[in-house]
Amino acid sequence: GEDVEQSLFLSVREGDSSVINCTYTDSSSTYLYWYKQEPGAGLQLLTYIFSNMDMKQDQRLTVLLNKKDKHLSLRIADTQTGDSAIYFCAESAYSSASKIIFGSGTRLSIRP
Amino acid sequence: EAEVAQSPRYKITEKSQAVAFWCDPISGHATLYWYRQILGQGPELLVQFQDESVVDDSQLPKDRFSAERLKGVDSTLKIQPAELGDSAMYLCASSLGGGSPLHFGNGTRLTVT
């Protein structure tokens, strides 16, 4: 069945780059998403990538997709304290009834 | 920017009581989702609507949970009776469908005592 896996924790120094990794199993996945969740809040869409792309950049965020290995990563450049949150990877297969499957989330903490 | 509205923000109830959550999606979004998020985990889909029709409720505990979206706009999720294990964040999301990104509300934090 479909599954999305992420490492649970990541700690980086302020100003460094953060790289959050995700693997997925559904080869028919067509969209892959990154969401950010701050304490007590809902999920905020950060960015998403279509499976026929291998990279997408949006300001400090860079998404890399390796479709052969079913590996997705999110790089945050110049990490700031406001980036502290839980980051969720999610996948869906294209259809009008597409189901979005989420990973368990990676908690990013920032060291001064 | 348009948002998904959810209420209440917090709900504390005793076990065996009934609770209901409300969601108003972004205008024009035909697809509406209810997710449950247990602390420390990712969201799990409970039910998905396309307009007023349920397209996926395979993970909805139908003996106690019900969901409706009568006019294809706002939606209500009900739990009756609530159990201690239902304590979680209940998130509503909407999208245009077809793989379009989901937009989430701020959720309802349910505590069952």
Side-chain angles (χ1 to χ4, degrees), chain B residues 77-91:
Chain B
L77 177 70
K78 296 179 181 176
I79 309 175
Q80 183 174 16
E83 296 181 353
L84 295 176
D86 296 332
S87 293
M89 175 81 90
Y90 290 83
L91 294 163

Side-chain angles (χ1 to χ4, degrees), chain B residues 21 23 32 34 47 49 51-52 54 66-78:
Chain B
F21 313 129
C23 172
L32 184 146
W34 283 102
V47 61
F49 290 91
D51 298 308
E52 67 276 8
V54 173
S66 64
E68 60 183 16
R69 193 184 183 198
L70 292 176
K71 297 181 180 178
V73 180
D74 58 338
S75 175
T76 303
L77 177 70
K78 296 179 181 176

Side-chain angles (χ1 to χ4, degrees), chain A residues 33 35 37 40 42 45 48 94 100, chain B residues 9 35 37 98-99 101-102 105:
Chain A
Y33 311 86
Y35 284 85
Q37 187 177 36
L45 176 69
Y48 64 104
Y94 179 84
I100 313 292
Chain B
R9 188 79 176 86
Y35 281 85
Q37 185 180 24
L102 273 62

Side-chain angles (χ1 to χ4, degrees), chain A residues 78-91:
Chain A
D78 185 25
T79 309
Q80 302 298 307
T81 54
D83 295 323
S84 292
I86 301 175
Y87 290 80
F88 291 95
C89 170
E91 63 167 351

